[in-house]
Amino acid sequence: MAAVLESLLREEVSVAAAVRWIARSAQSSEVTAPTRPQAWPESAFRDDPGEAAALSSLRPLRKEFVPFLLNFLREQSSRVLPQGPPTPAKAPGSSAALPGRPGGPPRGGRGARSQLFPPTEPSSTAAAEAPSARRGGRRRGPGPGRERGGRGSGGLEEGVSGESSPWAGGRRPRGSGSPGSPSLARSDPPNLSNLEEFPPVGSVPPGPAGTKPSRRINPTPVSEERSLSKPKTCFTSPPINCVPSSQSSVPDTSPWGHGLPPGCRSLQEEREMLRKERSKQLQQSPTPACPTSESGSPLPSRTGNLTAEPADPARVSSRQRLELIALIYSSCIAENLVPNLFLELFFVLQLLTARRMVATKESDLEPIPGALDSLESPLFQSVHDCVFFAVQVLEHQFQVLSYLDKGTLKLLAENERLLCFSPALQGRLRAAYEGSVAKVSLAMPPSAQAVSFQPETDNRANFSSDRAFHTFKKQRDVFFEVLREWEDRHEEPGWDFEKGLGSRIRAMMGQLSAACSHSHFVRLFQKQLLQMCQSPSGTGGTVLGEAPDVLSMLGADKLGRLRRLQERLVAPQSSGGPCPPPTFPGCQGFFRDFILSASSFQFNQHLMDSLSLKIRELNSLALPQPEPSDEDGESDVDWQGERRQFAMVLLSLRLLAKFLGFVAFLPYRGPEPPPTRELQDSILALRSQVPPALDVRALLQQGLRARRAVLTVPWLVEFLSLADHIVPLLDYYRSIFTLLLHLHRSLVLSKESEGEMCFLNKLLLLAVLGWLFQIPTVPEDLFFLEEGQLDTFEVDTVTSEQGLDGMPVVDQHLLYTCCPYIGELRKLLASWVSGSSGRSGGFVRKITPTTTTGLGAQPPRTTQGLQAQLAQAFFHNQPPSLRRTVEFVAERIGSNCVKHIKATLVADLVRQAESLLQEQLVTQGQEGGDPAQLLEILCSQLCPHGAQALTRGREFCQKKSPGAVRALLPEETPAAVLSSAENIAVGLATEKACAWLSANITALIRREVKAAVSRTLRAQGPEPAARGERRGCSRACEHHAPLPSHLISEIKDVLALAVGPRDPEEGVSPEHLEQLLGQLGQTLRCRQFLCPPAEQHLAKCSVELASLLVADQIPVLGPPVQHRLERGQARRLLHMLLSLWKDDFQVPVPLQLLLSPRNLGLLADTRPREWDLLLFLLRELVEKGLMGRTEIEACLGSLHDAQWPKDFSEELATLFNPLLAEPHMPEPQLRACELVQTNRGTVLAQS
Amino acid sequence: MILTKAQYDEIAQCLVSVPPTRQSLRKLKQRFPSQSQATLLSIFSQEYQKHIKRTHAKHHTSEAIESYYQRYLNGVGRNGAAPVLLDLANEVDYAPSLMARIILERFLQEHEETPPSKSVINSMLRDPSQIPDGVLANQVYQCIVNDCCYGPLVDCIKHAIGHEHEVLLRDLLLEKSLSFLDEDQLRAKGYDKTPDFILQVPVAVEGHIIHWIESKASFGDECSHHAYLHDQFWSYWNSSLGRHSCRILTSSPSATRDRSTNN
């Protein structure tokens, strides 16, 4: 393996070729080409025969390359990261894998590696830092709740036995091994010897020994060696580990310090006592301590080691080599050739934040001549190298980083080393941070919820007998009692579940005789499990915007701060590194311990049945699939709902599957894998006959086929994580692991094509699978399988239509909820910022959570919080319908309240805006200024009034809610219950309404005012005058007038008749005409049915009719035959028209049409020409003020353009000149008649 | 009053290629004395419109226009007072108003430098006095007042009928104390296409549930039902105004009414 790496370093083989070579070992098909990183030129993919030859000789070693690389990097980095939290790497020493038995635990795993590191190895420390040793050690922690021993102790550790690593198990002081917290980091005591964090009282700078006895023990370094060695070394973290002869570090010594009166003893005495005490402690500790420091490396100084050494890009040694290895390492990550993506990222971030290089011997730092490019010289010779390498890798992994939560991105973007080494990457990260909306709180969901009773299970009908029913009720009570007691006491030190509750639980289980009682109880158990461990707030309410009840009671401005504080207080410092073993945090622990204490076969069987059923049900739940193409705001809101539902289902499934796995594999669980091969074979033979509790393989296959892996795989992983050591060896489960491995490798993140899984979906699967591959019970070599076994996968995925996989169902919040260990990245970075990573793996919390236990379980004791709790309690004791009613009423009243405010307050404001606007327009004239500016002025005046909305809204809810509740609840509801329900309804409704109003009232007012302004301005436009003056019909009007349409139609008929052509017998009677005009008058006076266009046409038609009358063109149907209208009748009709025009028409009447060429032409055509009616009409028009003389003059003026018979023009002139000249003529028609009479002869003569 | 399909068919049968004139309508009235003039006119108008839709194109070929114009010029050349244009329209079986428009357009093309805009032509048709040629003005006016199916006057009558029926419908609803939202209120709520009235409380009429009412104030034959369904009613459906509707297609409140429910 080393040969491969070396040939890479010597550039005999290109990186691209190497990655392809490795990947080919993983996948027999040529899939690397489309997925290669873009940075690689095309040519890199062409096989160089030389390269091929170089690599083909190494063929059998192919699949061992990645584990080798990972181990190599870990080993190389060990000098830099001694104090860091464990970076487990589950990469087996591959040469030890037994070919015939792929699942067999490798033994002597480090053999091969140690060959690679001959005695010339610069530091045996480095070699000893076998990651597997770290891993094994980490897991060795015993605990009552974890009967799973680290398998590593039985397997890998043998290969490195004798070597001890700084953080190998046992060298750290253990906590009592509390069930939920197996992590070492958490149980570490504060490092009191850290002078920077705990400076001596009086803040005497660390100086010569024995300055002054102090309450804090100041272990002054007196070592002679220290002055010689560089003060770089920093084996600081586990103080107890590094107990040198002369330089004692003092853990947990504060009580001692207290106990000693200052000055009464010498420092030497103190030290002596401490040493004794410490050795006592060491004897008690479960694993032997390792008092000898590694290979005699100089002991680190305790002081001054916390400031990080500045990293300088200019001081990077062997840049090219680092670049090459970073590239190949990144490529392996990108191709999913590493088991756990996030573990690698964690490792890289550790390198990035490495504080200081552990100096070994001076000579080690000297480059070995001629060996610079080989593996002989250490890869990371300085912090600069580490940071350079880390930044290189991060650059390649930017895409993944950009999907991390906002907090992590911020920390990364603000990392000064990153900025220094790659400003470009920093810029991209900053951009990603600014664009990110993925705020993820690392706070754990509140653990225990109030105990709820399940009235549904009270139903007697479900029980075989009264007795069974009563027994069940009693059991239920016991169950809740036990639960309550656990809630109250489980955090008390010294309280033990089994001791406290075991006998009661077993007694209760003993009473469950009938099978049906068991199923009832299991249902209760399961329901309670889901309710408590998978509360809505657990699925991310706080982040998605639905504030949890308590927090929402506080003001919005304080909310954010409170939330941050809460997060800091309750966020676990570390959930056990980037790869914690499966645990049962919070109230899950109760259910696990209950199952263990009950130790009832029937119960377990029923529970498995019930869990399996529920899992099947939820797994096949048809999750709604909205159009993914829709991207407007509304569907986005829908998506939130879909996501939330998906998250709910997924988290429920994971919880159920975890417990199913726990119960199903419970009988087989043992601390260690079987010691001998023979024993293992016989167990395998036995176990392979047992059918699985739930056919998870079928479900997985279904899920893959239906493209629902994003739902199925996470719970399956939970299930498998609780399997025992034998399970992965069974054929059935082995095939599942094979499928999962295939899936893992196929989830290449850079692949983004149609039908691919969404990025975050992939990331979730990679995270959970990566975690699964690191579980102790999963064999290390499983991941690096033989290539032959990996070829049956592709078939399944490329089927079927759009499934859940292709939809963005996973968001960062769900990712972090399912995989809290990803948050370790952020914590690691945060610890770098906080500047002190001296102890406990670099995670330091500034806030000492002295009250965490209280805070976690109980909400803040504010009045509001208490009120909310009271309300919850109240509902628990009432029928569910009461709660539904109250919530319904609150919801409706809240909504009505908003509507009411809109209709009253906002409408009033809009009216005010309109009148203000009118004023503005009057003062400023028609222009009124810029509408946008106007709007601004109005809004600034009116929006402050929006504040009234809250008071009014409160009043409204106060007034309306009680009545509604009262009406909806049964008459018989007791008064106290009723009034409580009313009060709660008022409170909820007010909360809802005020929340909406306070958020939206300004925008609402603004919108409405804007609409009003544009309406007013538009109305201002064309016809402001005509609007107001229209009259309606009189009050007495009964709207019996003829319809306008009818009248238009009638008049049109008359006009048509007059214009012709007509039959000889056709004509109108004068009576009909009179009646028509009478009807026109009625219609014009009624106006009920009149619309302006109709009136305009009526006006025009009436003028046309007058023209025809004047020209005597209307054929009158008389008794004998068709004849002309009599003069008198004509005048009467004209009079009627005149009065209509004057009094009844409300639209302008186009009287000028009377003098249009066409209508006058009618007159011209008649023989003899009769002018008197026209003159009469014009005179009347002038007299009635309907037309001015000038107007008539203008009309006549335009007539000159028309082509008339010459005499006609003359006649016109003679006729009209006097009319226009003389203002008043007493007897006009006479003279007109005379004129007409005289002229008639000439006209006739001319025609 | 409900008109049977048979009666309707009979009326429609009589209207095949009848010119849309006063005389035709008078004959129709004599033939069907039990039907109101409004009903008959509405049916006439619709049948004639269907006819025009079918034959419209052939009157608008450039050859046809040219030949009509020449015939018009010849006709008025012989006698400007004779109903040349009206006769021409009746002869070629085209609506007089539409014929007037064709000739006017052609006339203006000849006499003006720029082709006339649609609004100029519409304005001249509304007020023929604006037509520069007196003879043509008279001819156009004659066509318009004699056309009972097309032209600005007929359009105005139709519009007036529509308005009147909305008012009538509103009165009826008020009289029956049915709560409703009218078009303006609906528009204020942001609907783009709205029926005339939405009933706030649905009613059942003759076994059909009515959610909204749209008065089209015209005779509801199958064709217009179909067209309205396509243009308007589906969008009411789509905007979830209710599946049940009442479309009143009638020519007068006392006359033919066709009520249908779509769902």
Side-chain angles (χ1 to χ4, degrees):
Chain A
M1 279 303 94
V4 179
L5 202 52
E6 286 194 48
S7 59
L8 265 170
L9 292 178
R10 285 192 301 268
E11 294 184 19
E12 283 165 10
V13 178
S14 76
V15 174
V19 172
R20 206 172 17 163
W21 174 74
I22 306 156
R24 209 180 287 164
S25 74
Q27 282 167 294
S28 40
S29 57
E30 295 283 332
V31 292
T32 35
T35 62
R36 68 188 179 266
Q38 288 176 343
W40 296 357
E42 187 60 39
S43 59
F45 282 85
R46 257 179 253 125
D47 263 329
D48 182 325
E51 290 177 355
L55 290 169
S56 65
S57 63
L58 299 164
R59 195 167 228 289
L61 300 172
R62 212 151 68 172
K63 72 191 170 71
E64 294 166 17
F65 179 77
V66 176
F68 169 78
L69 177 69
L70 298 185
N71 282 334
F72 172 71
L73 286 172
R74 301 290 194 279
E75 284 153 16
Q76 291 292 308
S77 65
S78 58
R79 287 194 311 138
V80 198
L81 307 168
Q83 86 280 26
T87 308
K90 205 162 188 175
S94 47
S95 63
L98 305 170
R101 272 183 52 208
R107 317 221 157 226
R110 296 293 144 219
R113 186 174 42 68
S114 42
Q115 284 167 13
L116 285 175
F117 294 94
T120 50
E121 259 272 316
S123 159
S124 64
T125 320
E129 285 305 321
S132 58
R134 266 178 254 160
R135 185 181 61 79
R138 176 174 57 81
R139 289 184 181 126
R140 207 178 289 147
R146 265 184 83 237
E147 287 102 337
R148 33 193 20 261
R151 61 158 285 129
S153 57
L156 287 173
E157 256 65 34
E158 287 176 13
V160 289
S161 60
E163 297 173 343
S164 49
S165 58
W167 56 79
R171 294 202 303 168
R172 289 173 188 229
R174 279 288 147 70
S176 58
S178 68
S181 59
S183 105
L184 286 176
R186 256 204 263 194
S187 48
D188 270 347
N191 182 1
L192 296 173
S193 53
N194 181 332
L195 292 179
E196 214 159 272
E197 286 179 342
F198 299 94
V201 173
S203 64
V204 178
T211 43
K212 188 182 179 185
S214 69
R215 279 160 35 105
R216 282 201 198 256
I217 291 168
N218 183 7
T220 322
V222 289
S223 160
E224 289 288 313
E225 291 157 285
R226 192 187 160 263
S227 57
L228 297 172
S229 70
K230 290 184 177 176
K232 263 195 211 167
T233 48
C234 52
F235 271 117
T236 56
S237 60
I240 203 165
N241 291 355
C242 313
V243 184
S245 49
S246 60
Q247 184 197 11
S248 101
S249 70
V250 191
D252 265 343
T253 45
S254 42
W256 294 101
H258 277 288
L260 295 170
C264 75
R265 290 175 202 205
S266 75
L267 209 64
Q268 278 304 322
E269 278 173 309
E270 276 182 24
R271 290 230 170 88
E272 192 51 44
M273 285 188 68
L274 286 169
R275 205 170 293 134
K276 275 184 197 158
E277 181 58 28
R278 229 186 39 64
S279 66
K280 231 193 282 173
Q281 278 189 351
L282 287 175
Q283 277 157 17
Q284 289 161 359
S285 73
T287 39
C290 54
T292 51
S293 72
E294 283 82 29
S295 60
S297 62
L299 287 162
S301 69
R302 294 244 151 252
T303 52
N305 59 0
L306 289 165
T307 48
E309 191 180 358
D312 181 2
R315 291 172 62 193
V316 175
S317 58
S318 61
R319 206 174 253 272
Q320 199 183 6
R321 193 168 65 142
L322 286 168
E323 269 173 10
L324 254 173
I325 293 187
L327 181 56
I328 195 155
Y329 179 54
S330 306
S331 310
C332 290
I333 296 176
E335 293 286 326
N336 290 336
L337 296 172
V338 298
N340 187 330
L341 164 70
F342 287 101
L343 190 57
E344 301 312 318
L345 284 181
F346 187 79
F347 170 67
V348 170
L349 291 185
Q350 276 185 312
L351 286 179
L352 178 71
T353 57
R355 305 244 158 206
R356 209 155 263 264
M357 180 61 86
V358 178
T360 51
K361 290 173 194 147
E362 293 283 322
S363 61
D364 288 342
L365 294 174
E366 300 289 323
I368 298 165
L372 193 67
D373 284 343
S374 74
L375 298 177
E376 302 297 315
S377 67
L379 183 62
F380 303 119
Q381 299 190 9
S382 62
V383 169
H384 321 295
D385 290 0
C386 291
V387 176
F388 179 76
F389 178 81
V391 172
Q392 287 284 312
V393 178
L394 289 177
E395 274 184 346
H396 291 298
Q397 300 302 324
F398 171 74
Q399 200 187 10
V400 180
L401 298 178
S402 68
Y403 277 89
L404 293 176
D405 74 304
K406 201 164 179 160
T408 312
L409 283 174
K410 181 167 191 278
L411 287 166
L412 265 177
E414 286 171 354
N415 189 297
E416 67 275 19
R417 279 184 169 174
L418 209 142
L419 173 64
C420 178
F421 276 75
S422 174
L425 177 61
Q426 196 267 351
R428 284 157 81 195
L429 284 167
R430 178 156 294 280
Y433 162 68
E434 275 152 14
S436 170
V437 287
K439 275 196 179 166
V440 172
S441 148
L442 293 186
M444 283 292 169
S447 55
Q449 304 283 301
V451 180
S452 95
F453 293 94
Q454 306 290 316
E456 307 96 275
T457 50
D458 278 346
N459 192 348
R460 161 69 181 89
N462 293 329
F463 290 86
S464 56
S465 66
D466 276 342
R467 200 167 150 265
F469 178 50
H470 288 301
T471 315
F472 172 72
K473 281 202 290 188
K474 244 184 274 169
Q475 279 152 354
R476 201 195 58 211
D477 291 345
V478 174
F479 175 66
F480 284 123
E481 187 189 309
V482 166
L483 181 50
R484 271 193 300 274
E485 186 164 337
W486 175 82
E487 275 181 356
D488 293 344
R489 306 194 53 188
H490 73 280
E491 275 162 336
E492 285 175 19
W495 186 82
D496 183 61
F497 190 94
E498 172 58 33
K499 258 187 246 162
L501 303 170
S503 56
R504 250 186 291 170
I505 291 171
R506 275 187 294 278
M508 183 192 95
M509 296 312 282
Q511 290 175 326
L512 289 169
S513 49
C516 93
S517 313
H518 269 292
S519 69
H520 276 290
F521 181 75
V522 160
R523 199 173 53 216
L524 173 69
F525 185 86
Q526 186 178 305
K527 228 171 196 171
Q528 192 65 31
L529 171 70
L530 277 178
Q531 186 173 325
M532 282 176 72
C533 304
Q534 213 253 296
S535 62
S537 55
T539 65
T542 47
V543 178
L544 291 177
E546 354 156 277
D549 46 355
V550 179
L551 290 182
S552 66
M553 298 290 175
L554 295 163
D557 54 329
K558 288 181 194 151
L559 202 65
R561 253 186 296 164
L562 183 70
R563 228 179 248 159
R564 279 202 300 279
L565 179 62
Q566 189 200 30
E567 187 178 320
R568 289 188 79 180
L569 287 174
V570 300
Q573 185 174 341
S574 163
S575 52
C579 274
T583 53
F584 292 87
C587 43
Q588 290 180 19
F590 168 80
F591 293 92
R592 179 205 51 198
D593 291 345
F594 187 95
I595 294 167
L596 288 175
S597 284
S599 59
S600 156
F601 171 74
Q602 292 99 317
F603 172 66
N604 288 357
Q605 189 60 47
H606 279 280
L607 187 59
M608 277 199 286
D609 296 347
S610 177
L611 290 169
S612 303
L613 184 72
K614 189 79 184 165
I615 288 172
R616 276 181 183 282
E617 184 192 313
L618 286 177
N619 187 55
S620 58
L621 195 69
L623 290 160
Q625 310 187 346
E627 293 288 307
S629 57
D630 249 16
E631 283 186 15
D632 56 352
E634 218 158 299
S635 66
D636 195 47
V637 174
D638 290 344
W639 259 117
Q640 289 282 327
E642 306 300 338
R643 277 213 195 104
R644 214 153 14 206
Q645 198 199 348
F646 175 79
M648 283 291 289
V649 171
L650 182 69
L651 293 174
S652 299
L653 273 170
R654 278 166 55 93
L655 184 69
L656 295 169
K658 188 179 191 177
F659 272 87
L660 180 64
F662 177 68
V663 181
F665 301 118
L666 188 59
Y668 308 107
R669 192 155 301 136
E672 298 288 313
T676 66
R677 171 103 185 250
E678 289 70 31
L679 195 52
Q680 186 181 308
D681 284 347
S682 69
I683 294 173
L684 273 176
L686 212 67
R687 288 282 297 279
S688 56
Q689 301 177 59
V690 183
L694 172 66
D695 191 357
V696 284
R697 184 171 62 184
L699 290 175
L700 173 63
Q701 283 162 343
Q702 273 171 31
L704 292 174
R705 222 171 294 129
R707 311 219 338 113
R708 286 164 70 92
V710 70
L711 182 68
T712 305
V713 171
W715 70 253
L716 181 63
V717 164
E718 287 288 294
F719 175 78
L720 292 175
S721 74
L722 285 155
D724 59 273
H725 292 278
I726 296 297
V727 165
L729 311 181
L730 297 166
D731 283 344
Y732 177 84
Y733 290 103
R734 195 157 185 85
S735 63
I736 291 175
F737 275 105
T738 310
L739 274 175
L740 290 179
L741 279 168
H742 261 299
L743 178 66
H744 181 266
R745 205 144 294 170
S746 73
L747 295 169
V748 176
L749 288 166
S750 55
K751 241 196 270 181
E752 279 179 271
S753 59
E754 195 62 28
E756 268 291 312
M757 210 183 272
C758 294
F759 193 92
L760 276 166
N761 296 9
K762 277 187 193 170
L763 212 53
L764 172 68
L765 293 191
L766 282 178
V768 294
L769 287 172
W771 176 74
L772 178 69
F773 298 143
Q774 299 289 328
I775 295 286
T777 48
V778 179
E780 287 90 344
D781 66 339
L782 191 83
F783 183 80
F784 304 99
L785 266 181
E786 293 283 336
E787 49 192 285
Q789 290 174 288
L790 291 163
D791 49 358
T792 49
F793 186 63
E794 290 296 321
V795 210
D796 279 344
T797 44
V798 284
T799 50
S800 104
E801 72 300 343
Q802 172 93 331
L804 274 175
D805 288 350
M807 273 175 280
V809 282
V810 176
D811 57 7
Q812 271 90 351
H813 193 268
L814 183 62
L815 179 68
Y816 277 72
T817 311
C818 289
C819 315
Y821 30 89
I822 303 178
E824 295 295 311
L825 299 178
R826 178 160 141 195
K827 288 171 191 159
L828 181 63
L829 288 166
S831 73
W832 164 256
V833 173
S834 71
S836 52
S837 62
R839 60 186 174 89
S840 64
F843 302 142
V844 171
R845 264 195 300 188
K846 291 283 174 141
I847 298 171
T848 315
T850 46
T851 56
T852 18
T853 49
L855 263 174
Q858 292 158 318
R861 292 180 190 83
T862 59
T863 334
Q864 286 136 319
L866 201 59
Q867 275 298 326
Q869 277 189 322
L870 271 174
Q872 297 301 317
F874 169 73
F875 285 130
H876 276 305
N877 297 333
Q878 300 296 332
S881 66
L882 180 102
R883 186 192 196 124
R884 285 201 297 272
T885 306
V886 167
E887 282 170 352
F888 172 74
V889 166
E891 204 253 311
R892 292 325 311 154
I893 298 284
S895 164
N896 291 351
C897 172
V898 170
K899 286 188 191 129
H900 177 72
I901 297 288
K902 264 191 210 172
T904 55
L905 178 70
V906 177
D908 284 345
L909 289 177
V910 167
R911 268 192 290 279
Q912 276 184 44
E914 277 167 345
S915 58
L916 280 172
L917 186 63
Q918 289 294 351
E919 280 171 34
Q920 197 88 14
L921 289 175
V922 169
T923 52
Q924 298 197 357
Q926 277 301 318
E927 295 304 305
D930 179 30
Q933 214 178 334
L934 272 176
L935 181 66
E936 280 310 314
I937 297 168
L938 287 174
C939 286
S940 64
Q941 279 177 304
L942 295 172
C943 285
H945 293 286
Q948 292 172 25
L950 291 182
T951 4
R952 288 214 205 172
R954 225 168 266 134
E955 280 166 20
F956 181 90
C957 296
Q958 191 82 40
K959 201 172 83 192
K960 299 282 180 185
S961 306
V965 172
R966 204 175 287 264
L968 288 174
L969 288 181
E971 286 283 310
E972 292 69 29
T973 310
V977 172
L978 191 61
S979 87
S980 297
E982 285 170 5
N983 289 339
I984 294 170
V986 168
L988 290 177
T990 311
E991 189 188 327
K992 182 184 153 74
C994 289
W996 193 92
L997 286 173
S998 57
N1000 298 311
I1001 188 74
T1002 313
L1004 179 69
I1005 292 173
R1006 215 186 155 75
R1007 198 179 65 207
E1008 296 289 317
V1009 168
K1010 188 176 176 186
V1013 166
S1014 57
R1015 212 168 35 230
T1016 315
L1017 289 179
R1018 233 184 297 126
Q1020 208 68 22
E1023 22 161 8
R1027 227 159 246 275
E1029 291 183 33
R1030 304 214 56 168
R1031 289 163 285 162
C1033 21
S1034 67
R1035 201 168 292 171
C1037 180
E1038 288 182 11
H1039 313 314
H1040 290 314
L1043 295 173
S1045 62
H1046 173 73
L1047 276 174
I1048 302 172
S1049 183
E1050 290 285 305
I1051 296 173
K1052 176 174 165 274
D1053 274 355
V1054 174
L1055 295 178
L1057 201 64
V1059 171
R1062 55 179 173 261
D1063 296 339
E1065 72 277 13
E1066 277 187 308
V1068 287
S1069 66
E1071 295 74 32
H1072 178 68
L1073 282 175
E1074 238 171 275
Q1075 191 195 347
L1076 203 58
L1077 293 184
Q1079 287 180 339
L1080 181 56
Q1082 287 173 30
T1083 300
L1084 289 172
R1085 282 187 290 274
C1086 169
R1087 313 207 71 85
Q1088 167 81 343
F1089 296 101
L1090 207 56
C1091 59
E1095 196 176 355
Q1096 278 159 16
H1097 268 92
L1098 281 173
K1100 207 167 120 200
C1101 288
S1102 67
V1103 175
E1104 301 279 358
L1105 192 62
S1107 286
L1108 288 168
L1109 282 171
V1110 166
D1112 194 16
Q1113 293 278 330
I1114 295 178
V1116 171
L1117 209 53
V1121 74
Q1122 182 185 323
H1123 63 100
R1124 308 243 155 190
L1125 204 58
E1126 278 171 33
R1127 277 301 134 83
Q1129 284 173 324
R1131 282 192 187 203
R1132 202 161 57 243
L1133 291 170
L1134 286 177
H1135 261 298
M1136 286 176 84
L1137 282 169
L1138 280 164
S1139 108
L1140 288 176
W1141 290 336
K1142 181 160 171 47
D1143 300 327
D1144 296 324
F1145 272 106
Q1146 292 183 17
V1147 294
V1149 181
L1151 292 168
Q1152 68 283 357
L1153 280 182
L1154 288 170
L1155 295 173
S1156 73
R1158 193 176 60 77
N1159 282 328
L1160 273 184
L1162 295 173
L1163 208 56
D1165 291 344
T1166 51
R1167 296 288 181 274
R1169 289 187 184 128
E1170 309 230 5
W1171 295 98
D1172 57 334
L1173 284 173
L1174 179 63
L1175 288 171
F1176 161 75
L1177 187 60
L1178 289 177
R1179 222 174 292 272
E1180 286 295 315
L1181 285 173
V1182 172
E1183 259 176 39
K1184 288 193 177 345
L1186 286 166
M1187 265 184 120
R1189 273 170 216 281
T1190 45
E1191 209 178 334
I1192 293 173
E1193 203 167 1
C1195 290
L1196 289 173
S1198 66
L1199 282 178
H1200 294 306
D1201 305 337
Q1203 303 150 343
W1204 305 106
K1206 193 168 174 266
D1207 64 313
F1208 186 72
S1209 305
E1210 285 167 7
E1211 273 186 57
L1212 268 178
T1214 26
L1215 273 172
F1216 284 103
N1217 279 339
L1219 174 78
L1220 297 170
E1222 293 165 38
H1224 188 66
M1225 290 181 198
E1227 283 294 332
Q1229 78 265 44
L1230 259 181
R1231 271 163 52 185
C1233 285
E1234 282 159 19
L1235 255 173
V1236 169
Q1237 291 299 331
T1238 51
N1239 283 333
R1240 197 167 269 167
T1242 53
V1243 173
L1244 279 170
Q1246 278 180 356
S1247 66
Chain B
M1 199 178 93
I2 290 171
L3 185 76
T4 64
K5 177 84 167 91
Q7 283 171 309
Y8 165 75
D9 285 344
E10 197 186 348
I11 296 168
Q13 195 56 45
C14 291
L15 290 169
V16 177
S17 62
V18 168
T21 57
R22 199 160 33 86
Q23 287 84 355
S24 309
L25 192 62
R26 197 174 63 219
K27 280 178 204 147
L28 201 62
K29 260 198 294 198
Q30 284 159 4
R31 175 86 193 269
F32 300 99
S34 59
Q35 305 297 339
S36 77
Q37 176 174 338
T39 306
L40 292 174
L41 183 60
S42 184
I43 296 174
F44 188 8
S45 180
Q46 272 173 22
E47 290 300 311
Y48 192 73
Q49 279 176 34
K50 277 186 244 172
H51 169 71
I52 289 297
K53 266 177 208 157
R54 284 194 300 271
T55 58
H56 172 81
K58 79 171 181 191
H59 299 293
H60 279 262
T61 60
S62 53
E63 297 83 30
I65 290 172
E66 206 49 43
S67 110
Y68 296 156
Y69 189 55
Q70 287 310 322
R71 285 180 67 178
Y72 159 76
L73 288 181
N74 292 340
V76 295
R78 278 195 299 277
N79 180 5
V84 177
L85 210 46
L86 188 63
D87 287 347
L88 175 64
N90 288 339
E91 195 189 320
V92 301
D93 197 11
Y94 197 50
S97 298
L98 300 179
M99 182 59 85
R101 178 186 282 271
I102 290 177
I103 299 301
L104 177 62
E105 213 171 325
R106 180 67 186 76
F107 172 84
L108 292 174
Q109 263 172 22
E110 199 172 85
H111 289 83
E112 318 266 316
E113 288 84 32
T114 52
S117 74
K118 213 164 175 145
S119 63
V120 168
I121 292 181
N122 283 337
S123 157
M124 286 182 175
L125 286 172
R126 270 199 301 274
D127 178 12
S129 306
Q130 296 170 13
I131 297 172
D133 181 85
V135 177
L136 182 57
N138 284 335
Q139 294 284 342
V140 167
Y141 189 69
Q142 192 172 39
C143 283
I144 285 166
V145 292
N146 274 293
D147 195 331
C148 65
C149 293
Y150 281 96
L153 270 172
V154 175
D155 289 345
C156 175
I157 293 169
K158 286 181 180 169
H159 181 266
I161 291 173
H163 178 76
E164 289 154 17
H165 282 232
E166 260 186 67
V167 176
L168 283 167
L169 186 54
R170 177 192 306 271
D171 288 351
L172 280 172
L173 291 172
L174 288 172
E175 190 187 310
K176 303 278 180 202
S177 309
L178 293 174
S179 173
F180 59 85
L181 292 174
D182 67 18
E183 218 166 343
D184 291 339
Q185 289 165 304
L186 288 171
R187 246 184 259 286
K189 286 192 168 197
Y191 291 98
D192 52 345
K193 277 191 171 180
T194 67
D196 290 335
F197 301 99
I198 285 185
L199 299 182
Q200 286 182 320
V201 181
V203 294
V205 176
E206 291 169 14
H208 297 292
I209 293 179
I210 310 289
H211 271 248
W212 48 264
I213 301 170
E214 169 83 14
S215 165
K216 298 300 340 167
S218 61
F219 183 79
D221 62 0
E222 286 169 66
C223 182
S224 57
H225 267 306
H226 191 79
Y228 283 126
L229 197 64
H230 189 266
D231 296 340
Q232 245 180 313
F233 301 143
W234 285 126
S235 43
Y236 304 161
W237 175 303
N238 295 340
S239 50
S240 13
L241 289 174
R243 297 168 164 226
H244 309 287
S245 70
C246 176
R247 319 203 290 274
I248 299 180
L249 298 177
T250 130
S251 44
S252 86
S254 57
T256 319
R257 187 154 60 164
D258 172 84
R259 184 188 299 115
S260 88
T261 307
N262 72 19
N263 52 11

